[in-house]
Amino acid sequence: MPHTDRSTLTADSTTRSSFVSTSHPNDGSSLPLDVAEKAFRLLVAGPRPLAVDGAVLGHGLPARAIPVDELRAILLHPSCGRTTRDEVWRHLITHARTHRGAWMVAAVAVAMPLLRRLTKTLSETLRMEREDLEAEVLTCFMEALERVNLAWTHPLLRLARLTQCAVLRTHPDREPQAAAEPDLAGQPLSCPDGHVDLLLAGAIRQGILTADMAQILGVTRLENIPLSLYCRREGLDYVTTRKRRQRAEARLVAALISGELSSF
């Protein structure tokens, strides 16, 4: 039977944390929203999926345990009234704040259609890589869950506005100027033998890159950490850091073409 919110959230259910959308993502995708959806499918799978108690919530919901993925479908249906949606969202937000873990995941999951639309809208004005933008939207949405005033009407709309404003404050509508691309026509481009870490170390020794430039490349390119998360962690401006990464990449390409990094 479904695991309802009247039971205490166990450590085991927390490890099954997840998110959702209206369609199943590519299982091989590493994009944050797709990863979130895959995790959510695990959370609602099995004989005891995370659920809410419809009898306790009322407002026309079925008087039984309602798995969170079914709850999302109910809220998205045109026949679901605003009062019901608002009360369910207050319930989800309260549980996300109180229990975190699986309930934080559930709140993100139910909002996934909105998060995808918001990401698409923001992508039309912000010049960010898709992975960075999705990660930033998720981070800001979870922060909004902690901040939104439950006395307000339309809590989901308020969450959307708080999320959008937070993303735009962090990443103003400025398009960074890309570094000029070297002319590669007819020129062989070969990377020196050895690990890429050695390439970066050699570039630092020869004054091609600064240590900070090499760190940005190492973390965001080799370790595949989204640039937005790296900037947030280090307290850096996204646009400025992206420009520095572009300059660093252009310098590396030019050094490889000229042969400066052919051996070290």
Side-chain angles (χ1 to χ4, degrees):
M1 61 182 295
H3 172 54
T4 69
D5 59 332
R6 287 184 292 184
S7 302
T8 301
L9 190 63
T10 65
D12 178 63
S13 64
T14 302
T15 61
R16 298 167 63 205
S17 294
S18 50
F19 303 70
V20 71
S21 82
T22 54
S23 62
H24 289 178
N26 181 343
D27 285 342
S29 173
S30 62
L31 292 173
L33 293 183
D34 288 341
V35 171
E37 292 180 19
K38 288 183 285 187
F40 182 69
R41 295 207 306 272
L42 296 177
L43 182 64
V44 296
R48 299 183 71 239
L50 190 69
V52 299
D53 192 334
V56 172
L57 278 173
H59 294 282
L61 292 171
R64 57 174 173 79
I66 308 171
V68 178
D69 54 342
E70 180 184 350
L71 178 67
R72 184 188 57 138
I74 291 173
L75 296 182
L76 290 173
H77 197 277
S79 65
C80 182
R82 194 199 77 191
T83 301
T84 300
R85 285 196 297 271
D86 286 0
E87 284 305 309
V88 169
W89 266 106
R90 291 188 181 99
H91 181 83
L92 290 174
I93 293 167
T94 299
H95 274 59
R97 291 173 175 178
T98 304
H99 301 295
R100 305 193 67 81
W103 285 104
M104 181 67 75
V105 170
V108 171
V110 177
M112 188 62 72
L114 176 143
L115 295 178
R116 289 195 180 279
R117 291 195 301 271
L118 181 58
T119 300
K120 183 177 185 300
T121 298
L122 288 168
S123 71
E124 295 170 356
T125 56
L126 296 179
R127 300 299 184 266
M128 295 177 64
E129 295 177 7
R130 181 176 173 184
E131 183 176 359
D132 290 337
L133 181 55
E134 289 191 8
E136 190 69 16
V137 168
L138 278 176
T139 299
C140 291
F141 179 78
M142 288 187 285
E143 291 173 352
L145 286 170
E146 301 286 354
R147 297 170 48 213
V148 69
N149 189 337
L150 295 182
W152 291 343
T153 59
H154 305 294
L156 181 59
L157 178 59
R158 308 286 183 172
L159 284 170
R161 289 176 177 172
L162 285 172
T163 302
Q164 184 174 25
C165 288
V167 174
L168 290 175
R169 276 198 305 270
T170 307
H171 307 288
D173 184 14
R174 291 180 288 158
E175 181 176 0
Q177 297 299 314
E181 294 289 342
D183 183 6
L184 305 183
Q187 301 201 49
L189 182 61
S190 60
C191 181
D193 294 334
H195 197 278
V196 180
D197 283 341
L198 297 179
L199 174 71
L200 296 178
I204 294 173
R205 285 198 302 270
Q206 297 183 38
I208 297 165
L209 297 180
T210 66
D212 287 343
M213 283 180 166
Q215 181 181 1
I216 294 170
L217 292 179
V219 172
T220 66
R221 294 306 194 195
L222 303 185
E223 299 177 23
N224 294 319
I225 302 298
L227 185 61
S228 63
L229 296 186
Y230 172 74
C231 292
R232 180 181 292 272
R233 186 180 71 187
E234 300 294 327
L236 301 173
D237 177 72
Y238 177 87
V239 174
T240 300
T241 306
R242 185 176 178 182
K243 287 180 180 179
R244 294 188 69 191
R245 186 173 69 177
Q246 289 173 327
R247 287 195 297 269
E249 290 171 336
R251 289 183 185 182
L252 274 181
V253 170
L256 288 170
I257 292 173
S258 67
E260 284 185 80
L261 286 176
S262 60
S263 62
F264 46 83

